[in-house]
Amino acid sequence: MAFDRRTFIGTTAATGAAVALAGATSTPAAAAATQQPDARKPQPRTYAFTVMGTTDLHGNVFNWDYFTDKEFDDKAHNDVGLAKISTLVNQVRAEKGRRNTLLIDAGDTIQGTQLSYYYAKVDPITARRGPVHPMAQAMNAIGYDAAALGNHEFNYGIPVLRKFEEQCDFPLLGANALDAKTLRPAFAPYSMHKLRTPCGRDVKVAVLGLTNPGIALWDKANVQGKMTFPGLEEQAAKYVPKLRSMGADVVIVSAHSGSSGTSSYGDQLPYIENAAALVAEQVPGIDAILVGHAHTEIPEYRVKNRATGKDVVLSEPLKWGQRLTLFDFELVWEKGRWTVAKVAAQVLNSNTVAEDAKITRLLSDEHRKVVAYVNQVIGTSTQAMSSAEGPVKDVAIIDLINHVQAETVKTALAGTEWAALPVLSQASCFSRTAAIPAGQVTIRDAAGLYPFENTMEARLLTGAQLKDYLEFSARYFVRTAPGDAVDPAKLTNAESIPDYNYDAVYGLAYDIDIAQPAGSRISGLSFGGKAVDPAAQFVLAVNNYRASGGGNFPHVPQAKQLWSNSDEIRNTIIQWVKAKGTIDPAQFASVDWRLTRAGVPVF
């Protein structure tokens, strides 16, 4: 395809123009009228095509778990990775005809695995004569036509994102990612694709890319003063009419935004985080929306547009390349133009196919490098530790995360006016399968404790605010009356709260009475053996996700920031293990919180 990315992006930033891509040149139509023709009437001319979609790939190329160092598997026996997706895409193209298909993505591409981390931090693509990002290589080889920006695209900073963009043979779209000074698009807002038909004129398919406004909070350090992110509905209402006026027969939105209409960040986020369904409902002229961000599977979801009364078809394929969405369009030539007669969506499961050898061969060297990297020995542990019981018990492996964070903050605040204050720390059970073995500890063991690219901050809180914080966190537990049977598997995730939004606070002692209603569960809150004074001041070591409002926890986003760090917490843990040489739980692990009912411990 003829596409000069640097020239285009410069033009886009200056003028807000969009890109036109030639999506097809010549092929037979994929479908025709099925009913018997009536010789007395001219038969309608029809055309069918398919748009395939992925989302939240999060750095997965291979069906491999770099934290366990073996093939990926879960309880549902899902598979992951672009190599699997490539096989599905090849099958669809063979069935439909290559030129009767498009392939798009809804964002969160370059963060999430040690493969993506390695090429952002260890052997960065931004280095002089640096490598080509594995995700760019794989997506180019598969033949993506466009991809929306996800919020995690910004985790490694704008230079890494711009380099990735340069390496892609397809545009990264973000109609609501604006230059902070000019308020013009910082990325291509949309792309236009032509599909040649055997009857009538070409079909023009517009893909509008929308990203998540939460980027302004979650990656504030990387984007503040550089980019701004208005709401999805606002920008869709601006661009969809423009695309129609440019002759688009079909308008598809690729939105890195869930469909629920909710936000998990309260007043911290001025725009709705999961706005895809609202866009469908409020903005006329959209035919389909590829949904991302929420990590849920929605094969097909129809939303009626208020203005037109027409259905907009939404679909969200499951994360990491576990599913591939198919939007099947049927068009009819009427009154000198193509009209969408029907849209249907479904998802294909990547565990039904083998990996595409073309993709695995292409990136075999990169894969081997990362496997060798994560298996480097960095220390030893005096005993094995597991996170399996972390959601319901104070376990040593979560204490390790908190101990490293608290120690790091204490060192950073030494010599400051805050040095004498007690330092606490928050952490969640990010993975119920994380483990530190007895004996040798590798990078992948340590990194597996913290699978997110979060960084660390220190915030100033009072005892009363910490009590509120813990009460909010304790909503995670299902209310269970004294005497009721206790099944640990059924005690957690009340109100669908994910594990990563339940925090244990290290340095305090407290009970969580799960027989009580949410908001009245914390008792015996103490520090150093004494009841916590509501007015006392504490330093909380906290990740940037929580500090920016992630999970909508109280007080922390407004609290005074005493210190922040740009290095990932995961990397801080790795460096701590390297420096200490030996992990000895006897030096940091203790049972400081427990679940109770009417004062009686649950376990």
Side-chain angles (χ1 to χ4, degrees):
M1 63 186 72
F3 182 64
D4 185 330
R5 181 164 318 287
R6 282 169 288 190
T7 300
F8 171 72
I9 290 302
T11 302
T12 299
T15 68
V19 61
L21 297 180
T25 53
S26 63
T27 73
T34 56
Q35 69 267 28
Q36 290 298 320
D38 185 339
R40 296 170 297 178
K41 296 180 180 179
Q43 296 305 306
R45 290 176 288 181
T46 62
Y47 176 69
F49 71 97
T50 296
V51 177
M52 298 172 281
T54 54
T55 191
D56 296 278
L57 293 168
H58 283 289
N60 285 280
V61 173
F62 299 86
N63 187 41
W64 192 260
D65 186 336
Y66 291 98
F67 292 135
T68 62
D69 201 26
K70 60 185 179 182
E71 183 176 306
F72 177 88
D73 195 22
D74 62 13
K75 291 181 180 178
H77 301 298
N78 288 302
D79 287 347
V80 300
L82 277 169
K84 292 264 184 172
I85 290 295
S86 183
T87 302
L88 290 175
V89 167
N90 290 338
Q91 290 179 353
V92 174
R93 285 171 174 164
E95 177 188 350
K96 309 284 186 179
R98 170 69 183 254
R99 299 302 186 178
N100 299 314
T101 65
L102 294 171
L103 175 60
I104 63 176
D105 183 79
D108 275 7
T109 304
I110 59 172
Q111 173 277 337
T113 64
Q114 286 293 285
L115 181 71
S116 53
Y117 177 83
Y118 186 90
Y119 287 97
K121 292 290 189 178
V122 181
D123 186 10
I125 61 174
T126 48
R128 189 168 179 263
R129 297 180 182 176
V132 177
H133 199 289
M135 294 301 287
Q137 291 191 60
M139 295 174 82
N140 290 342
I142 295 169
Y144 274 78
D145 293 287
L149 293 164
N151 54 284
H152 283 288
E153 258 67 82
F154 294 84
N155 284 174
Y156 297 118
I158 292 174
V160 170
L161 175 54
R162 287 299 191 193
K163 188 64 178 181
F164 174 70
E165 179 188 31
E166 179 184 313
Q167 293 175 343
C168 291
D169 293 340
F170 51 90
L172 300 184
L173 308 178
N176 61 328
L178 308 181
D179 181 277
K181 295 179 180 178
T182 66
L183 297 183
R184 291 174 176 170
F187 295 85
Y190 57 85
S191 57
M192 193 75 79
H193 310 263
K194 292 182 179 179
L195 302 177
R196 184 158 293 176
T197 74
C199 50
R201 63 171 171 80
D202 295 346
V203 170
K204 293 178 72 174
V205 181
V207 180
L208 177 66
L210 296 170
T211 191
N212 204 291
I215 295 166
L217 289 176
W218 309 324
D219 271 298
K220 182 178 180 180
N222 291 327
V223 302
Q224 188 173 34
K226 300 173 184 177
M227 293 184 191
T228 186
F229 303 88
L232 284 83
E233 306 102 303
E234 171 189 328
Q235 293 303 101
K238 174 182 177 179
Y239 278 102
V240 172
K242 179 176 181 178
L243 294 171
R244 290 294 184 182
S245 70
M246 293 169 61
D249 302 295
V250 179
V251 174
I252 300 167
V253 174
S254 183
H256 193 75
S257 180
S259 63
S260 66
T262 62
S263 292
S264 56
Y265 301 88
D267 295 338
Q268 291 295 303
L269 189 57
Y271 302 102
I272 294 175
E273 177 187 356
N274 296 305
L278 295 176
V279 171
E281 181 182 68
Q282 297 176 12
V283 181
I286 298 170
D287 297 297
I289 301 180
L290 177 66
V291 179
H293 182 62
H295 289 203
T296 58
E297 181 177 344
I298 305 174
E300 183 184 87
Y301 176 40
R302 292 178 178 269
V303 175
K304 194 172 294 296
N305 183 265
R306 287 180 180 176
T308 65
K310 294 182 179 179
D311 281 354
V312 181
V313 177
L314 284 68
S315 181
E316 182 175 5
L318 200 57
K319 65 186 185 297
W320 305 346
Q322 295 178 27
R323 304 289 187 273
L324 175 70
T325 277
L326 304 186
F327 290 106
D328 291 312
F329 289 85
E330 294 181 12
L331 276 62
V332 61
W333 179 261
E334 293 179 331
K335 299 178 182 179
R337 61 186 293 264
W338 287 109
T339 302
V340 176
K342 183 180 178 182
V343 186
Q346 60 176 307
V347 295
L348 304 182
N349 194 329
S350 65
N351 72 6
T352 62
V353 297
E355 292 183 313
D356 184 350
K358 173 185 173 183
I359 304 302
T360 56
R361 283 196 302 267
L362 177 69
L363 293 165
S364 59
D365 287 345
E366 287 83 350
H367 178 65
R368 282 194 292 268
K369 285 181 182 178
V370 176
V371 169
Y373 163 74
V374 300
N375 281 291
Q376 292 179 44
V377 175
I378 55 173
T380 59
S381 179
T382 60
Q383 66 184 65
M385 293 178 282
S386 168
S387 65
E389 294 184 311
V392 295
K393 294 182 180 180
D394 187 347
V395 295
I397 201 166
I398 307 299
D399 286 346
L400 173 59
I401 298 172
N402 274 318
H403 180 73
V404 171
Q405 292 181 164
E407 189 174 278
T408 301
V409 168
K410 284 178 184 176
T411 301
L413 295 181
T416 72
E417 61 181 300
W418 316 107
L421 290 180
V423 177
L424 313 175
S425 177
Q426 62 80 220
S428 305
C429 182
F430 298 112
S431 167
R432 299 191 183 202
T433 59
I436 295 291
Q440 292 187 334
V441 177
T442 63
I443 284 178
R444 68 178 173 84
D445 295 325
L449 302 185
Y450 219 107
F452 299 105
E453 260 69 29
N454 294 339
T455 57
M456 200 186 331
E457 299 186 15
R459 297 283 179 128
L460 184 65
L461 294 174
T462 66
Q465 290 174 329
L466 285 163
K467 175 76 159 28
D468 290 345
Y469 188 99
L470 290 171
E471 288 286 9
F472 185 85
S473 184
R475 298 175 309 127
Y476 169 78
F477 296 103
V478 175
R479 191 175 184 182
T480 309
D484 284 0
V486 172
D487 180 353
K490 297 179 180 178
L491 281 182
T492 63
N493 307 104
E495 303 177 32
S496 299
I497 296 170
D499 291 348
Y500 62 77
N501 273 342
Y502 167 64
D503 287 357
V505 174
Y506 179 80
L508 297 176
Y510 55 96
D511 289 345
I512 303 172
D513 191 336
I514 60 174
Q516 299 300 317
S520 303
R521 291 179 169 176
I522 303 301
S523 63
L525 183 62
S526 64
F527 174 77
K530 298 180 180 179
V532 169
D533 181 348
Q537 290 186 315
F538 296 86
V539 178
L540 181 66
V542 60
N543 66 51
N544 67 308
Y545 173 78
R546 193 70 79 231
S548 65
N552 202 25
F553 276 63
H555 306 305
V556 173
Q558 299 83 18
K560 183 179 179 64
Q561 184 191 81
L562 308 182
W563 172 83
S564 66
N565 187 18
S566 61
D567 203 9
E568 290 89 354
I569 295 171
R570 177 166 62 200
N571 210 34
T572 301
I573 295 171
I574 292 169
Q575 297 306 319
W576 185 90
V577 174
K578 282 184 176 180
K580 297 293 183 182
T582 300
I583 302 171
D584 183 1
Q587 297 178 356
F588 57 79
S590 61
V591 178
D592 294 322
W593 67 268
R594 61 181 183 171
L595 299 184
T596 64
R597 291 183 295 182
V600 178
V602 174
F603 301 108

